[in-house]
């Protein structure tokens, strides 16, 4: 965990740093560096990073894993008192899971112009046709969240991958 003195960062920054730590773990494992943290009553109940490559699972996004961990931690699929922090805007699959889990607040770092499910391409988390909506705030530690993705993909391109 990052050693941060209480009150030294804005509340969202503090939790986003945890998500960034998870993204760095993904980076080191050769996974697309996206990290997620779920907070409930002021404490972290789930942390995850992308594991698609490691698990050969297209659904192993950081958000999906963190949502599953949070539900296990609380003993309920309804995550109504939780905040999800994620370094990259959730994709449509993850946005759907956010709606299904009844997560009321999502905070993300940087937009995903090619696959964003909350603001960029789709607004799944705010669609009035669905039975739940989430407040979504983007741009928290945006430059750091964006930089780790850019660095990862620059390395991948130099290796002839992705």
């Amino acid at each position: 965990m990052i050693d941060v003195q209480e009150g030294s960062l804005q509340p969202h920054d503090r939790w986003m740093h945890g998500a960034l730590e998870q993204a760095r773990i993904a980076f080191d494992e050769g996974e697309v560096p996206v990290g997620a943290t779920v907070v409930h009553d002021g404490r972290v109940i789930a942390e995850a990073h992308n594991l698609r490559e490691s698990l050969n699972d297209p659904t192993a996004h950081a958000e999906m894993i963190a949502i599953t961990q949070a539900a296990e931690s609380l003993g309920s699929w309804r995550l109504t008192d939780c905040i999800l922090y994620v370094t990259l805007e959730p994709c449509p699959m993850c946005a759907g899971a956010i709606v299904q889990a009844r997560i009321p607040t999502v905070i993300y770092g940087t937009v995903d112009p090619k696959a964003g499910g909350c603001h960029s391409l789709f607004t799944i988390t705010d669609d009035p046709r669905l039975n739940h909506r989430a407040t979504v705030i983007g741009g928290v530690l945006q430059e750091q969240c964006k930089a780790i993705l850019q660095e990862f993909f620059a390395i991948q391109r130099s290796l002839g991958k992705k």
Side-chain angles (χ1 to χ4, degrees), residues 4-156:
V4 177
Q5 294 213 349
E6 198 67 33
S8 65
L9 295 172
Q10 297 297 323
H12 292 314
D13 290 0
R14 174 183 177 205
W15 303 116
M16 188 62 77
H17 276 287
L20 269 165
E21 185 176 307
Q22 288 294 311
R24 286 185 196 96
I25 294 168
F27 185 103
D28 292 343
E29 293 176 358
E31 298 277 355
V32 174
V34 177
T37 300
V38 179
V39 175
H40 178 262
D41 288 340
R43 67 180 183 90
V44 173
I45 61 167
E47 294 179 301
H49 57 276
N50 275 359
L51 289 171
R52 290 187 340 167
E53 301 296 331
S54 301
L55 298 177
N56 290 314
D57 181 352
T59 69
H61 289 201
E63 303 95 306
M64 300 293 284
I65 297 166
I67 288 169
T68 298
Q69 289 175 358
E72 280 183 30
S73 174
L74 295 178
S76 175
W77 62 267
R78 290 179 183 89
L79 304 179
T80 56
D81 295 320
C82 295
I83 301 173
L84 171 65
Y85 291 87
V86 61
T87 56
L88 181 65
E89 176 186 0
C91 73
M93 173 183 68
C94 295
I98 289 162
V99 170
Q100 291 300 314
R102 311 297 195 266
I103 297 172
T105 307
V106 177
I107 311 294
Y108 70 84
T110 192
V111 297
D112 187 346
K114 294 184 179 182
C118 297
H119 287 146
S120 298
L121 293 180
F122 303 99
T123 56
I124 294 167
T125 51
D126 194 37
D127 191 320
R129 297 170 296 178
L130 300 174
N131 64 337
H132 173 76
R133 280 165 288 294
T135 298
V136 179
I137 299 167
V140 175
L141 301 183
Q142 180 174 346
E143 291 309 312
Q144 292 172 48
C145 294
K146 188 167 133 181
I148 193 169
L149 286 160
Q150 289 175 331
E151 181 183 354
F152 177 81
F153 284 112
I155 291 168
Q156 295 302 305

